[in-house]
Amino acid sequence: MSAPTEVEVGRAIGARVERKEDQKLLQGQAEWVDNMHVPGMVYLGIVRSPYAHARITKVDVTPALAHADVVGAWSGADIADEWQGSLPCAWLPTEDTNAPEHKPVAVDKARYAGDAVAVIAATSRGAAEDAAELVEVEYEPLPVVVDPEAALADGAPLVHEEFGTNRCYTWTLEEGEIDRLFAEADVTVSERYRQNRLIPNAIEPRAVFVTAIPANGEFTLWSTTQVPHIARVTLSGVTGIPEAKLRVIAPDVGGGFGSKLNVYAEEALALAVARMLGRPVKWTETRSEGYLSTIHGRDQVQEIELAATSEGKILAVRTKLTASMGAYLQLVTPGIPLLGAWLYAGCYDVQGYSFECTGVFTNTVPTDAYRGAGRPEATYAIERAVDALARKLGMDPVEIRRLNFIREFPAAIKAGLTIDSGDYDASLDVALEQAGYESVRAEQRARRTAGDPKRLGIGLSTYVEMCGLAPSNILGAIRYSGGGWEAATIRCLPTGTVQVLTGSTPHGQGHETSWSQIVSDRLGYEIDEVEVLHGDTAVVPLGMDTYGSRSLAVGGVALYYAADRIAEKGKKIAAHLMEVDEAQVDHVRGTFHGPETSITLKEVAFAAWTAHNLPDGVQPGLEETYVYDPPNFSWPAGAHVAIVEVDTETGAVELLRYIAVDDVGTIVNPIIVEGQIHGGLAQGVAQALYEEAIYDEDGNLLTGNMVSYLVPSAAEFPRWELHHTETPSPTNPMGVKGVGETGAIASPPAVMNAIVDALAEDGITDLDMPATPERVWRALEEARR
Amino acid sequence: MIPAPFDYEVAESVDNAIELLGTREETKVLAGGHSLLPLLRLRLTRPSLLVDVGRLDLSYVRDAGDSIAIGALTRHHDVATAPLLQEHNPLMSFAAGLIGDPQVRHRGTIGGSLAHGDPASDLPAVVLALDGEIDIAGPNGVRTVRAAEFFRGVFETAVGPQELVTEVRVPKLIGDHVWSYLKFRHRAQDWATVGVAAVARRSNGGVADAAIALVNMGATPLRAGAAEAAWIAGAADPGVEADAKTEPPSDTNGSADYRRHLARVLVRRAVEEAEAR
Ligand SMILES: Cc1cc2nc3c(=O)[nH]c(=O)nc-3n(C[C@H](O)[C@H](O)[C@H](O)COP(=O)(O)OP(=O)(O)OC[C@H]3O[C@@H](n4cnc5c(N)ncnc54)[C@H](O)[C@@H]3O)c2cc1C
């Protein structure tokens, strides 16, 4: 890894600029929600159902109210009048989607272990928790269903009786003559995979803080959110606080991975309690409370079939998903599996495509976006199925991929979208060379011949994903309630510095650095002269926030265009000041060159501020906003290789090497890109080898804390070997694609394919994630039988 | 994750600690806090008073003639790095170096590790295999308990409510000793799914005084008697009966069956590793 480079002003895109954010974070000066303290503040304590499914027959808060430090206590019924609407779900994929009412505090039924049943406000956090224990709740336990397939069976306990079924929706997509292609295929494979349920673990737990000016009916909500703008719109709907009276601030936010791309009960509760008491309110989850109240990810059963010729050419792919929604629909719960709907043929050219997804209610914590959201699932299924096809045909996994790659771009894929650009062979070439594919195969054979109980395996994942969410018209067509645009404002201040307002709200991604680089590159400011403002609806009114690897590919592009507008207006003023024709002026990175003289953008900004001498019709000030709606998704792709060692006596898997070759288009800051890939790989490998939220049949979360829910650390990983190929995206002028999720998308199948490869001669053809030592050992035991 | 209310006192001396422990029901010693605090925060234990023994002068590793004496408040890190142990009982220091992560090893103490009585902990099995001795101070003075009598059940030891572990002694491994400690865990920082401490003296081309103790194979650390006998007898695979008379738990880290299997594999490997030393 090379050192950060000195940045030449105006040549900042692509430079290894150290993150501007880090000094503050490392020196403990970050502004976290939980650090906020104001006089008169009360703390919320939440009573949560210990039962996964139970009728609530009585809630008595009087013992809690008797606690000396308690200022309020409410059951779900007591507080019900505070709500004007349900907690929001912004994506009901079909007209007949069953969308249950979702109150911030349950009233007559708890539907998962962790569902809120009462809330306490107390003058200290300890008292809030003590008093929560005093609330007397009587439950009548009901039968529980946690498995999504079991939930669809006749007679399954109903999570929401009013629907008469646990089915939330079924969504389908079919292109091409699927039945014919399958009927005529030389070979087919039919695989069934399980997407283990995951618990997002942002380093900062969720926290909410509300201040109010009751006389004006004004509220400010500070939240550990990825989506302050979406939160403002939707929480206004939940609480009835007019949008104009609600300000939402996401100060420094310590990671989210999708778990903070949501609008939560506690945000609504804090607003409601602040309104009732006229006092500031704070709530901070503990880690184990978060496991019961913050969304989970994945949890799907995937059935995938491939139809192919005997040479290995894939003709068609047919997928059927059963996806657990959990007990309620959170912000985008039903849509998450559908974000992968177009990707189940991966980077392969097919003639027929069929996809069906059924969303199912279960007595579990709601699922929603988790790094990759839908695309890791799709990539996993196709990449494992392609390996299964190769095995069936006796082909090498490399060979079968090469045979099927999409090679002409832009590529209109059968599923119905258009891949902007790519070169899948190029990434695979680099990956194989870096891995030393042939020599790994040779060692693998040598170990087998020697009867070494430690087998070697090599696994590939050649992925493509769609991110940069998203063209608003497509979002509308798939029934998402919001848009996919992003806004950026550049405000050139009179004294030579510049403010950037971005609607894309960072929570660890380093926007302040990358955005400064873009402005430096386009307008000639020093990196340190750029101040990036974000995450406050009063400061940055327009925004669609951060998720789906959209920040750079949408928000960054908005900024790029805003810079063009600054240059355009600046040029008019510069020409006027130099007394030349506008057509004679050239703008190059912050300097306006006339035929004889030149003038800097900073001078222009000052002139625009004094407004003593502006051309006719030009308004004072130098500030421009651009709202960009992308015409297409962006399509990062690449080739990943995992090399594993499997101890056949204990079942232990060791990841020996991991090579990631990613094409994320133009790279603005390589340090940030590497960081994103490292983190994504860690989370993807975690899904493959370590993490799984396990419920028992009564709906108790057995992995309720970090002793049993196994988040790996650096000690579990090899040094990540990162390489890049680059095909700039033609969709946007910067050529950027997005990198936030690639690691998590690509890596699970690479690791699992490597394990299956290692154990192929032991008769193993499939393994579920996570491939824990016991699971591997059991598979081997079964195969030995 | 906020503990229920409790009082807190700092003990000035061992006697003072014992006195404070007797002032009411449900008192608890606080040492490194790395087992106790998680339980407090989850409200799984609700003592009325914590007696912090952290300032007592009980952190040391000393030469005690035939044995090495380790003060109850000695941190795992200090056990792992003490030159006296590395020289005279490397099994002990090696195993301590595998506990948790660096943060845990800099806070957790050997006294707490033994007194907590968690069968998944590393040092209890090691001290059992070494036939160590534990000093327990109480209102009537100090008594010494052999490791084999110390561990009584899950979170149950010979330490009474008004007692304090003050010192642990493990023998110097004099002569030609062989040893191994194998800890099978999923992540580096985890407790052992199963652990094996094996130690023996080379004798006449084979071994004598073989001791094998198992981590997490029952309610307490357990000696694997059949495996010890097999080792002494020079069996080709001394692990075959390693799980005899064990009652391993089933949890999300492994079923009882899997643990039995692991014990058999790990004992064989531990013996191989010990003999290769
Ligand atoms: C993340 C994490 C990972 C860990 N991993 C491991 C591991 O891999 N292997 C392992 O063995 N351990 C592990 N531990 C536990 C750790 O080793 C603890 O430090 C140890 O078990 C207890 O020691 P302590 O000094 O922290 O005791 P405390 O937590 O202070 O006390 C534990 C119990 O012992 C009692 N007690 C403490 N000292 C005395 C004394 N002198 N006399 C009488 N009673 C006493 C207390 O009253 C309490 O009941 C881990 C802990 C954590 C938090």
Side-chain angles (χ1 to χ4, degrees), chain B residues 49-65:
Chain B
L49 171 69
L50 287 193
V51 178
D52 188 342
V53 297
R55 293 183 210 173
L56 303 186
D57 195 13
L58 289 175
S59 176
Y60 55 81
V61 178
R62 281 183 201 142
D63 194 323

Side-chain angles (χ1 to χ4, degrees), chain A residues 192-213:
Chain A
R192 183 184 152 89
Y193 304 124
R194 180 85 223 205
Q195 283 289 328
N196 38 328
R197 179 179 272 256
L198 301 178
I199 303 180
N201 276 279
I203 199 160
E204 182 202 23
R206 277 195 303 124
V208 180
F209 173 63
V210 172
T211 57
I213 304 177

Side-chain angles (χ1 to χ4, degrees), chain A residues 126 129-130 133 286 288 647 649-650 652 689-690 694 706-708 710-712 715-716 772-774 777-778, chain B residues 1-5 42-43 46 184 186-191 252-255 257-258 261-262 265-266 268-269:
Chain A
E129 302 232 357
D130 292 345
E133 287 189 335
T286 62
S288 38
D647 183 337
E649 289 185 324
T650 62
L689 295 180
Y690 298 99
I694 304 171
M706 294 185 101
V707 174
S708 44
L710 306 182
V711 178
E716 277 70 54
T772 60
E774 176 160 8
W777 172 72
R778 284 197 179 280
Chain B
M1 281 299 243
I2 305 281
L42 293 168
R43 299 193 173 208
R46 295 166 184 255
F184 187 87
H186 199 8
R187 297 176 303 178
Q189 68 187 75
D190 285 328
W191 274 266
T252 52
N253 272 321
S255 65
D257 280 354
Y258 178 58
H261 167 76
L262 275 183
V265 173
L266 295 180
R268 190 198 79 224
R269 289 184 179 180

Side-chain angles (χ1 to χ4, degrees), chain A residues 395-536:
Chain A
M395 289 174 78
D396 188 277
V398 174
E399 195 187 345
I400 196 153
R401 285 173 168 79
R402 295 248 198 238
L403 190 68
N404 288 287
F405 276 159
I406 295 169
R407 288 203 173 78
E408 276 168 38
F409 298 93
I413 56 172
K414 199 72 204 173
L417 296 174
T418 300
I419 301 180
D420 53 1
S421 66
D423 184 345
Y424 305 146
D425 292 288
S427 318
L428 184 55
D429 289 345
V430 176
L432 295 176
E433 192 197 319
Q434 292 296 332
Y437 189 74
E438 289 309 325
S439 63
V440 177
R441 286 271 176 236
E443 191 190 333
Q444 180 181 53
R445 281 190 297 272
R447 285 195 191 196
R448 277 179 187 150
T449 316
D452 191 336
K454 293 193 173 168
R455 313 273 198 264
L456 199 65
I458 184 162
L460 296 179
S461 167
T462 48
Y463 75 99
V464 60
E465 64 123 336
M466 46 183 267
C467 65
L469 306 183
S472 298
N473 59 348
I474 296 188
L475 291 183
I478 55 178
R479 300 179 54 89
Y480 176 68
S481 316
W485 48 264
E486 194 48 88
T489 298
I490 298 177
R491 184 182 291 153
C492 299
L493 301 176
T495 55
T497 57
V498 59
Q499 284 181 323
V500 169
L501 278 51
T502 178
S504 165
T505 299
H507 42 284
Q509 294 87 349
H511 290 35
E512 292 174 26
T513 308
S514 308
W515 275 216
S516 298
Q517 288 178 254
I518 294 170
V519 172
S520 173
D521 201 271
R522 303 292 294 161
L523 298 177
Y525 284 94
E526 301 268 4
I527 300 277
D528 287 341
E529 289 171 341
V530 188
E531 200 58 35
V532 180
L533 307 178
H534 52 75
D536 181 340

Side-chain angles (χ1 to χ4, degrees), chain A residues 31-35 125 200-209 222-226 251-257 259-260 264 266-267 282-291 293-294 507 706, chain B residues 1 41:
Chain A
E31 221 185 344
W32 308 115
V33 174
D34 189 51
N35 289 349
R125 185 160 185 203
N201 276 279
I203 199 160
E204 182 202 23
R206 277 195 303 124
V208 180
F209 173 63
W222 306 69
S223 181
T224 55
T225 183
Q226 301 174 217
D252 287 309
V253 177
F257 311 114
S259 71
K260 296 172 183 168
Y264 282 104
E266 295 83 2
E267 292 172 310
K282 184 153 90 180
W283 172 80
T284 304
E285 73 181 5
T286 62
R287 186 67 62 179
S288 38
E289 186 180 17
Y291 280 17
S293 65
T294 300
H507 42 284
M706 294 185 101
Chain B
M1 281 299 243
R41 290 165 67 94

